[in-house]
């Protein structure tokens, strides 16, 4: 849901190719957003910018922004800040009323179809009907089947509804929510720091630091937007990371998830401190772990942690985005299982050479270059002295890995 100007950013993609459809419930004509004006795009871009303010806080809910306009003037605006609090439409209505504005006859621009079900908060459709809004413009349909029919109910009440303005931008900001609703698993993003020759650590495991402080701070911003940070027991044993968000301001810490087949994570490991940690094993719980640490046995038929089952379990818990910070072994297992959707790779301005550790350990190794994993480039930016490359695993590669 990036809203940098009026241009529509890239669509949300299923692992680099298959579009995560934001409007599966919608009529085909709505996607074309026929008859909509440049002003509609401009105001929706404004709503998208508001939605981005909830980037770190709304989970498990989507990031949504809203602006109320009449005769070219903003009457009220708002965004959803966190689950259980006012949705974007209600926040915008409250803002308008607080400023003394009567919103009857106004147009509401909202980045997601208004909800039509009483959950933690009343339906936004009710609030819009009571307020006397005459037109609603939404960026995308709500993919949550439990919230379906908000647009239909508004239309049945005589309100004009258009859906599809800056739809791809809205989908991109909520790629994890869309993934959980449509695929039953989170969007998985693997963050890697490497030298120019693709080495992530010396053969001894030493890796601190290959990239700059600026790159590490940027990595914390990606942590902050995720619902969970995932690592393996090897990283815990060697680096003893905290895996919390420290370098950027946030009011919410993501769940810390450790893949630990044999329950070898030390009870005093920093990643377990303070709770908010889930250790996923392929057997019994380590009796030394503090009671604040949750564990779950998700073994597969080979006695390993079932990574696909783990992703389904995280989705069941409302996890939209998983941020992976792991070694080559777990990164490779996730990639081989077809579970990696996106890569965020920080490339340091140095060379390490061999022997050293790489990014992905594939077991068994590839037999042919025809089996290599394809990527779709998203962006390349300079962060301090380093480069940040964002890429998505191509759909064809992901399907072949999952089939294998």
């Amino acid at each position: 849901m990036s809203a940098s100007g009026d241009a529509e950013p890239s669509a949300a993609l299923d692992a680099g190719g298959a579009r995560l459809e934001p409007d599966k419930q919608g009529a085909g004509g709505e996607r074309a957003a026929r008859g909509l004006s440049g002003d509609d795009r401009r105001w929706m871009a404004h709503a998208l910018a508001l939605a981005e303010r909830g980037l770190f806080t709304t989970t498990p809910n989507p990031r949504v922004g809203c602006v109320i306009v009449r005769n070219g003037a903003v009457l009220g605006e708002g965004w959803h800040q966190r689950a259980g609090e006012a949705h974007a439409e209600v926040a915008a209505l409250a803002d308008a009323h607080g400023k003394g504005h009567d919103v009857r006859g106004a147009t509401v621009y909202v980045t997601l179809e208004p909800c039509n079900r009483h959950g933690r908060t009343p339906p936004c459709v009710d609030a819009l009907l009571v307020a006397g809004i005459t037109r609603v413009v939404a960026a995308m349909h709500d993919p949550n089947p439990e919230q379906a029919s908000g647009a239909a109910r508004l239309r049945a009440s005589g309100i004009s509804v258009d859906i599809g303005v800056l739809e791809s931008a809205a989908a991109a900001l909520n790629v994890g929510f869309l993934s959980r609703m449509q695929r039953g698993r989170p969007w998985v993003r693997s963050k890697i720091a490497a030298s120019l020759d693709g080495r992530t650590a010396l053969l001894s495991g030493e890796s601190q630091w290959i990239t700059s402080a600026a790159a590490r701070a940027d990595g914390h911003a990606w942590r902050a937007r995720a619902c969970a940070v995932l690592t393996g027991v090897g990283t815990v044993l060697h680096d003893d990371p905290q895996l919390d968000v420290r370098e950027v301001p946030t009011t919410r810490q993501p769940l810390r998830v450790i893949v630990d087949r044999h329950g070898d994570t030390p009870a005093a490991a920093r990643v377990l401190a303070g709770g908010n940690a889930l250790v996923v094993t392929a057997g019994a719980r380590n009796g030394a772990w503090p009671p604040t640490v949750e564990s779950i046995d998700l073994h597969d038929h080979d006695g390993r942690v079932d990574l696909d089952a783990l992703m389904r379990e995280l989705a069941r818990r409302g996890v939209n985005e998983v941020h992976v910070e792991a070694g080559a072994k777990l990164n490779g297992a996730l990639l081989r299982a077809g579970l990696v959707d996106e890569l965020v790779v920080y490339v340091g301005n140095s060379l390490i050479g061999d022997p050293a550790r790489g990014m992905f350990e594939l077991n068994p190794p590839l037999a042919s270059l025809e089996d290599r994993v394809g990527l779709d480039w998203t962006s390349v930016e300079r962060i301090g002295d380093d480069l940040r490359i964002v890429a998505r695993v191509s759909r064809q590669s992901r399907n072949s890995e999952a089939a294998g």
Side-chain angles (χ1 to χ4, degrees), residues 196-367:
L196 182 59
D197 52 343
R199 305 294 93 185
T200 60
L202 300 181
L203 196 60
S204 65
E206 181 184 350
S207 62
Q208 297 178 352
W209 299 102
I210 292 175
T211 54
S212 65
R216 296 195 294 275
D218 190 72
H220 276 242
W222 289 89
R223 275 187 196 176
R225 68 170 288 166
C227 310
V229 177
L230 176 69
T231 195
V233 65
T235 298
V236 172
L237 293 175
H238 193 277
D239 296 338
D240 194 21
Q242 298 179 65
L243 295 184
D244 57 357
V245 180
R246 302 182 302 278
E247 299 295 332
V248 296
T250 182
T251 60
R252 178 192 63 85
Q253 289 290 341
L255 175 69
R256 296 171 293 182
V257 183
I258 305 99
V259 175
D260 183 358
R261 180 181 181 183
H262 299 297
D264 293 328
T265 298
R270 295 198 298 172
V271 73
L272 301 184
N276 193 34
L278 171 66
V279 186
V280 185
T281 70
R285 173 188 175 93
N286 185 330
W289 290 337
T292 55
V293 174
E294 183 182 2
S295 66
I296 184 171
D297 176 2
L298 291 177
H299 65 273
D300 64 13
H301 62 278
D302 292 323
R304 297 183 175 88
V305 171
D306 187 329
L307 297 175
D308 189 67
L310 170 58
M311 294 307 164
R312 294 195 302 270
E313 171 63 19
L314 292 176
R316 187 189 67 80
R317 294 168 179 246
V319 170
N320 294 328
E321 297 181 19
V322 173
H323 178 89
V324 181
E325 294 195 24
K329 187 173 182 179
L330 181 54
N331 274 329
L334 290 166
L335 188 67
R336 177 68 85 182
L339 295 173
V340 177
D341 297 308
E342 189 171 32
L343 303 176
V344 178
V345 180
Y346 296 92
V347 181
N349 58 348
S350 63
L351 299 170
I352 291 178
D354 284 328
R357 299 188 182 185
M359 298 183 186
F360 298 93
E361 180 182 312
L362 296 181
N363 186 21
L366 299 183

Side-chain angles (χ1 to χ4, degrees), residues 110-142:
V110 62
T111 58
L112 187 69
E113 176 186 9
C115 65
N116 190 36
R117 170 181 165 271
H118 199 301
R120 296 188 186 183
T121 58
C124 292
V125 168
D126 289 355
L128 296 175
L129 293 175
V130 170
I133 297 297
T134 57
R135 183 182 179 222
V136 172
V137 181
M140 57 182 278
H141 275 282
D142 193 330

Side-chain angles (χ1 to χ4, degrees), residues 2-3 9 27 35-36 66 199 205 260 280 287 308 368 372 375:
S2 175
L36 299 175
C66 179
R199 305 294 93 185
D260 183 358
V280 185
D308 189 67
S368 167
R372 67 189 184 276
L375 301 174

Side-chain angles (χ1 to χ4, degrees), residues 383-404:
I383 306 293
D385 292 332
D386 308 309
L387 296 180
R388 185 189 68 199
I389 301 172
V390 181
R392 286 171 172 171
V393 178
S394 71
R395 182 188 183 192
Q396 182 177 0
S397 293
R398 181 178 172 274
N399 288 344
S400 64
E401 291 297 334

Side-chain angles (χ1 to χ4, degrees), residues 33-62:
R34 291 175 293 184
L36 299 175
S37 68
D39 282 343
D40 289 328
R41 291 175 62 86
R42 179 165 64 93
W43 292 122
M44 187 60 73
H46 185 95
L48 285 163
L50 292 168
E52 286 189 340
R53 299 185 186 183
L55 185 66
F56 296 166
T57 60
T58 64
T59 181
N61 291 350

